[in-house]
Amino acid sequence: MPDPNPLGATPDVLVIGGGTAALCAAIAARRAGVSVRLLEQAPRGLRGGNTRHSRNLRFMHVKTTPLSTGPYPETEFWADLERATAGTIDAILTPLLIQGSEDITDWLEGAGVHFQSHASGVLPPSRKTAFLLGGGKSMLNALYTTAERLGVVLNYATEVQDLSIRDGRLEQVTISSGGHVHTLSPRAVIACCGGAQASRDWLRTHWGDAAEGFINRGTPYAEGKVLRSMLAQGAVSVGDPEHAYLVAVDARSPDDDGGIATRVRCMPAGIVVDVRGRRAYDEGGDTASTRYALWGQRLARFPGQIGHLILDARGVRAAPPSLYPPLSAASVTALAEVMGIDPVALAATVADYNAAVRASDDPGDTAAWHSVGLDPPKSGHALPLTEPPFAAYPMRPGITFTYHGVGIDAQTRVRLTKGGAMENLFAAGMIMAPNIIPRGYVSGLALTIGIVFGRLAGQEAARHAQR
Amino acid sequence: MPSDERRTEARRVLGICNACGYCNGLCDLFEAAKHRPRLADGDLAHLANLCHGCRSCLYACQYAPPHGFAVNVPRALAEMRHQSYADYAWPRAFAGLLERGVLTAVMVGLGAVGLLLALVLWSLPHDILFAQHTGPGAFYRIMPWGWMLVLGLLPLAWSMLAFGMGLHRYWRAARTEAVTLTLRALLSALRDVLLLRNLSGGGPGCNDLDEQPSHKRRWIHQGMVLGLLLSFAATGVATYYHHALGWEAPYPLTSAPVVLGTLGGLLMSAAIAGLLWLKRHGDREPTAAVALKADYALLVLLLSVALTGLALLLWRETAAMGLLLAIHLGSVLAFFLLMPYSKLVHAGYRFIALLVEASERTRQRDE
């Protein structure tokens, strides 16, 4: 099928990327009256970057709304970010984010997006975030439709190979599409194409051999070519390339794009051993949702980046539904053989653990069961692993995003190491998220950053193009 | 598709849904699946019949093709739904009729119309069959009242029995321990039927044609049901006129049976045309070929009942009335015969699924 939008005409504003930030930027710029072309690297069926795997967004609201269970004022949003980033907060961009988040649910609804009300009775309680009806892909469908209706020209399966930057100005964009290479020189460009976490080579340069053991939870198209091109040509680097947001995922997941369903969640119900059959961390210490990311970081330090969550039949019964059924065997030693671990070592670890388990004063209060004299301890939920059959979830660190991006100013223009900012190159979304959140995470923040800064970048780029 | 393959695929995709859960605002299916994590055969039948085939979850799905997980819930459940129609068909030997929906409808349709035509051609001299008949009793000069009664009531009684047996067996399988029939659950299920709440995509509508949500199918379907009910009402009133008041058909144009029947027929025809249009232009991805064929078969059957009824009304005072009456009665006969062996069974199974769901929901709320 011929490309419905051949890369002939040069737009006023070129948007690189196809996720939330890109769509909000394209819609905002087009509404401001300029011509806009959006280049999405993925084919149509896999469009939308990691927004496809997202569900909720964080927004400031002083009053209770149907979309959340209570108010979330500016001061609290600020405090949450300060805590998550351990005090490394950006004094200029963070207020823009928080204040900009106040009207985003209205703005999205105006662009055809629907939210799931808490009246549906089936949402996890959330005071700080609003849930998209049908999840991120439904939002993408609505935003793509709106962008197209407004006259944004869309190109799928179109990859930006390189940017040419000279004297603080973006001169030319090199694009590959359908085996052909094109160049465009638009008046303004907005880079909304995320990080580099899908690139194994890039991961290996920062993580060494450990990168081989990582699973990329998200889109396979986040290869970071644009990010690296900007950094190589004098853009300010923010965040830390050696840090990534990792969560524990099933080791049997596909290399890319497994999304939310690949998470392993029930560590408190069992013990986690490495490939030698040894425990290394307190599995009962964290039961909040923050444990997913904690275990991601821990698994990255495991030998071979693989760990195994061991459960007995009781633990399996209590486990939440999982993408893959756990490996199962009648005895601990048989299970070790299925997993490729030394059976003697695993049997010893389980026996030591079981011997160290102490019931709480109220035996029904399973959260208070704990180990005594065990190193490392299991400080809560320490029920003995005795009921056959035994089961195991093999786990690996699943990379969600990296804390590495380009610095931007309050107009979302890409900052330069020599001082000042690019006059016609803007950035929004995960490619600049480390400005706000150079470490840590709070749920729903990635979408909020994409929407607030995407919209702002669209308006600023349009203003520049009209100058 | 073999039944094992259908179950395996339904179990596979719903297992992924249970690990994800993003779609739980679109309809009742996803919470229901979460409460049945074992996804045993009975669970699959219940969930498949709870699914209204609205297609929204395919467009919302992060794992839909071309993703490697290839999750297509509407298609997997359309297959599974079809399997459950066959599984609960009574008598079981007739289950094959449901598997070959189009062939069954065509054969029974042509057979019934052919039978009626043969009957009038054989029993009546041509100068009577092709004469103009007007005034009370005109229809009965073509086909005596007693014949009509036998040709209508016997097949209808059989179909009601077969339909009822299927529903009874399904109800026994679907009714879990958590299900206790209460007035509240019954009213809730009736409300869900009336409003087709599960065809509203959680508010904005469903993906009737493409990525855009709409309420088209929801409204058109209810238009068709209303048309069907009006047509039944016309028959009911006519029966009352005949028996209680001794008035013989045909009735005047302004009489209740004619007005109700005409409105019903027109509404049905228009709505069926709309549904056929949606099927013709809708994305094929979220449906299964076997389900689509069953839909076409039932829609065309209903359309033929409506159109032949309207034609009979239009030309009832001409020489064509005799043949038109035979054709109309033949299509009604086919409709009656096919009730338990066509897509029409979805009405019963879906109501039971909604009732089970409403009952479990009210019980969870009480606890």
Side-chain angles (χ1 to χ4, degrees), chain A residues 306-319:
Chain A
I306 188 155
H308 300 270
L309 168 62
I310 312 289
L311 303 169
D312 70 352
R314 174 173 42 201
V316 171
R317 279 196 300 276

Side-chain angles (χ1 to χ4, degrees), chain B residues 154-191:
Chain B
L154 277 185
L156 189 61
W158 161 259
S159 287
M160 285 295 153
L161 176 70
F163 208 133
M165 288 299 287
L167 290 186
H168 176 67
R169 292 177 44 201
Y170 179 71
W171 169 243
R172 283 204 342 208
R175 185 176 187 174
T176 57
E177 284 171 23
V179 176
T180 42
L181 269 188
T182 60
L183 183 64
R184 201 163 106 192
L186 192 66
L187 289 176
S188 171
L190 283 171
R191 189 170 166 274

Side-chain angles (χ1 to χ4, degrees), chain A residues 44-47 52-55 114 116 122-123 133-138 141 145 254 257-261 265 321-324, chain B residues 15-16 18-26 31 34 37 58-67 69 201-204 211-213:
Chain A
R44 193 181 191 282
L46 292 171
R47 67 186 181 183
R52 205 152 39 85
H53 297 299
S54 66
R55 189 177 189 188
H114 296 279
Q116 187 173 350
V122 294
L123 281 180
L133 183 65
K137 199 171 166 194
S138 288
N141 292 340
T145 302
D257 228 12
I260 190 82
R265 291 179 274 181
S322 58
L323 179 60
Y324 304 104
Chain B
I16 294 173
N18 277 346
C20 171
Y22 281 17
C23 289
N24 70 359
L26 297 179
E31 282 301 298
K34 217 170 78 184
L58 178 73
Y59 297 93
C61 183
Q62 60 187 307
Y63 301 119
H67 191 282
F69 291 178
E211 274 154 12
Q212 289 308 296

Side-chain angles (χ1 to χ4, degrees), chain A residues 248-253 261-267 269-274 299 302 306-312 315-328 335 338-339 341 390-396, chain B residues 19:
Chain A
V249 300
D250 196 302
R252 297 164 290 181
S253 306
T262 58
R263 277 188 312 184
V264 179
R265 291 179 274 181
C266 45
M267 292 75 163
I271 59 170
V272 176
V273 299
D274 62 20
L299 287 166
F302 269 47
I306 188 155
H308 300 270
L309 168 62
I310 312 289
L311 303 169
D312 70 352
V316 171
R317 279 196 300 276
S322 58
L323 179 60
Y324 304 104
L327 303 169
S328 182
L335 184 67
V338 172
M339 291 149 48
I341 306 182
F390 296 88
Y393 285 104
M395 301 183 291
R396 286 192 176 280

Side-chain angles (χ1 to χ4, degrees), chain A residues 66-147:
Chain A
L67 305 182
S68 64
T69 57
Y72 187 43
E74 185 174 355
T75 48
E76 196 180 353
F77 200 152
W78 181 276
D80 285 343
L81 285 179
E82 197 149 48
R83 195 176 317 114
T85 61
T88 53
I89 220 160
D90 187 300
I92 296 166
L93 298 178
T94 302
L96 281 180
L97 173 79
I98 296 176
Q99 285 152 21
S101 76
E102 190 172 13
D103 71 338
I104 56 175
T105 54
D106 292 340
W107 191 86
L108 287 172
E109 281 178 338
V113 175
H114 296 279
F115 288 90
Q116 187 173 350
S117 149
H118 276 274
S120 67
V122 294
L123 281 180
S126 178
R127 182 166 61 84
K128 302 172 182 179
T129 69
F131 283 73
L132 296 160
L133 183 65
K137 199 171 166 194
S138 288
M139 172 171 80
L140 287 167
N141 292 340
L143 292 179
Y144 270 104
T145 302
T146 298

